[in-house]
Each structure stands twice: as C-alpha cells, then as structure tokens.
Amino acid sequence: MRPAKMGAMALFDTHFHLESMLAKGIDLDGLPHLEGMDIGCEPGDIERRQPLISRFPGLHFSIAAGPWCLGAEGADIDALVEAVRRDCLAHNPHFIGEIGIDDYWKYGQKGQMGELMLRQLSLCDELDKPVVIHVRQADEETLSILRAHANRRRGIIHCFSSTWQEAVRYLDLGYHISLSGTVTYKANEALREVARKLPEDRILLETDSPYLSPVPMRGKTNTPVNIAHTYSLVASLRGLDVARLDSLVRRNYLSIL
C-alpha cells in the first residue's frame, strides 16, 4: 500500500479556513498544492477571503452564516440571511455553508440556531446550491430539521463526530459524510468504524484547518498538508491505495455540485 508523501501529491481537502490559517501565522504561499474548498463562516467574510482564495487556481469556496453569528444574545436572522443572499449573488459560491446546530456552545437564544439553519437551507433551494452542515452534539435536532426541509438532499455533513448509527441516518437522507483528522485519534474507534463502513460513493475527507490536526501533528496548528495523515489511515482501514481514495473523494465531492 502506497502512503501519501508530504508535498509529493495534492490530496483533496473538502473543508478548510484560509483566513483563520493566516490569522494563526500559517504561510499560505507555502501550500503550493492546495486543492479543495475554503469555507465561509459569516456574512461579508468573502471580501477578505477572495484575495486568499485567488492565490490557488481552481480552489472552491462557500458562503454562509454559521451558528456562532448569533452570539450569546442572539441576532437578527432576517438580516443575516439577507446578507448571505447578497454575498451569494455577488460571488456565486460552490456551496452554502457551514451552517448548522452546535449544542456544545449553544449560540443565540433558544431555537435561533435551528431557525438560522432552516432559513439557509431554503436559500440553498432558492439559489440551487448544495450545503455544508456543521453539527456538534446535536444530531437529533439536525436530523429533524433535515427531514422536515424538503430540499434536494445535496450536501456534506462536515467533520462527522458521531457513530455509525447516526451516519446511516444522514446517508439515508442523501448526504455525504466528511471525516476529519479526529479519525486518527486513539480513542476514536467509533469514527474508524464509520471510516471502514461508509459507502465508497459517500465518503469525503477534510482537515478543518487550522483546527483538528491529525496524529502525529495533534496539538499543532493544522494545514491542508496534514490531510496526508488522514488519507493514509483511512486508506489503510479500507484496504485502498491512497491515490484511489483521493480519486473517490474528488469524484464524490464533484457529484454534489
């Protein structure tokens, strides 16, 4: 089995944050092989991100208002969604995201995260865009919203962190599952089960850079270069060559567009 070599091959990374990497001191010019998608977090951030994205030919990007935009006291959801709509019309992103529910931090007033997510799912339908879903300790609420919203079922469950049983429920709704470097953590046997069992046409891999560095880089600022470690582990779990896994991830990502 051929392992990924750092800098020797460009491995597709479906989720990273260029602006946050730059803020943490990462030299973006030191990432010459970067391929994948830069992810939006808040309305207006695309204006700061576009000069960074343009450094990498063919790089994809998304736009969204994540749940953290609600802050501790909540926010004007109408204004947030309208700002996302304006950004999308002006810049034509590949995805809307990341959006979703985070019951670890519990942003905003009760019910606002779900409302903001639902409104942006409707925006996905309006603009014919697939979605990137953020879910943290909130599978039941997220699944309920996704079931209730009769969209086209095109999207990614980003940084999946639950069990195979939950993965099946998202797969049944038509979503792709993206695994991050957390699958390499020693205690995460449940995620490795997911990595082994995901259908080959639904698996995606990501770094979520600058966060969630895989072993053996855990504890350091993450970059898309480190996705080589995640590819190597997941390829081994599935009995694949790394190049074959990269081909599957690329094909799966493009099938959502």
Side-chain angles (χ1 to χ4, degrees):
M1 185 174 300
R2 183 176 63 196
K5 296 180 180 179
M6 294 296 190
M9 58 189 298
L11 296 170
F12 200 82
D13 183 350
T14 63
H15 193 115
F16 49 82
H17 302 272
L18 290 176
E19 187 178 23
S20 295
M21 282 192 280
L22 188 65
K24 287 185 174 290
I26 298 299
D27 177 13
L28 300 184
D29 292 330
L31 304 172
H33 301 301
L34 186 57
E35 296 185 45
M37 181 162 57
D38 180 61
I39 300 295
C41 290
E42 62 185 23
D45 68 1
I46 189 60
E47 301 295 339
R48 302 186 302 270
R49 293 163 52 216
Q50 275 290 8
L52 307 179
I53 294 166
S54 67
R55 298 187 191 184
F56 305 96
L59 203 65
H60 287 194
F61 66 95
S62 69
I63 287 172
W68 37 83
C69 292
L70 296 168
E73 301 301 324
D76 184 337
I77 291 176
D78 289 340
L80 286 171
V81 174
E82 183 54 34
V84 173
R85 178 185 285 106
R86 288 195 303 269
D87 285 349
C88 288
L89 292 175
H91 296 278
N92 192 28
H94 299 84
F95 280 72
I96 290 177
E98 55 186 289
I99 69 172
I101 311 293
D102 192 320
D103 277 346
Y104 180 83
W105 291 109
K106 300 184 183 297
Y107 298 102
Q109 299 168 357
K110 185 173 177 61
Q112 281 197 318
M113 283 192 292
E115 178 64 19
L116 182 59
M117 177 183 173
L118 187 59
R119 292 282 300 279
Q120 289 181 95
L121 285 172
S122 295
L123 188 60
C124 289
D125 290 347
E126 175 188 333
L127 302 180
D128 192 23
K129 298 292 182 184
V131 68
V132 179
I133 300 292
H134 171 102
V135 52
R136 188 173 183 187
Q137 297 183 4
D139 287 305
E140 292 302 326
E141 186 175 358
T142 300
L143 284 159
S144 178
I145 290 171
L146 295 178
R147 289 193 195 99
H149 183 76
N151 66 4
R152 292 179 57 188
R153 306 302 180 202
R154 296 160 58 212
I156 299 169
I157 307 301
H158 133 72
C159 193
F160 184 78
S161 59
S162 298
T163 67
W164 173 242
Q165 287 69 34
E166 279 76 40
V168 168
R169 297 162 79 186
Y170 290 112
L171 293 170
D172 286 347
L173 289 174
Y175 288 88
H176 287 63
I177 301 291
S178 183
L179 301 173
S180 73
T182 59
V183 73
T184 69
Y185 298 174
K186 184 176 180 180
N188 275 351
E189 180 54 38
L191 271 187
R192 286 186 283 279
E193 179 187 12
V194 173
R196 285 188 288 264
K197 290 184 175 180
L198 279 173
E200 73 169 25
D201 63 346
R202 298 290 192 88
I203 188 169
L204 298 172
L205 297 179
E206 64 174 85
T207 57
D208 198 20
S209 297
Y211 316 106
L212 304 178
S213 291
V215 173
M217 310 303 292
R218 188 175 184 181
K220 300 179 180 180
T221 300
N222 204 8
T223 80
V225 171
N226 292 333
I227 202 167
H229 299 294
T230 305
Y231 268 91
S232 292
L233 175 68
V234 174
S236 177
L237 291 171
R238 296 176 69 91
L240 295 176
D241 182 274
V242 166
R244 170 60 177 162
L245 180 57
D246 179 60
S247 177
L248 290 176
V249 169
R250 291 170 186 269
R251 183 193 71 185
N252 294 343
Y253 172 86
L254 292 173
S255 75
I256 306 171
L257 297 175

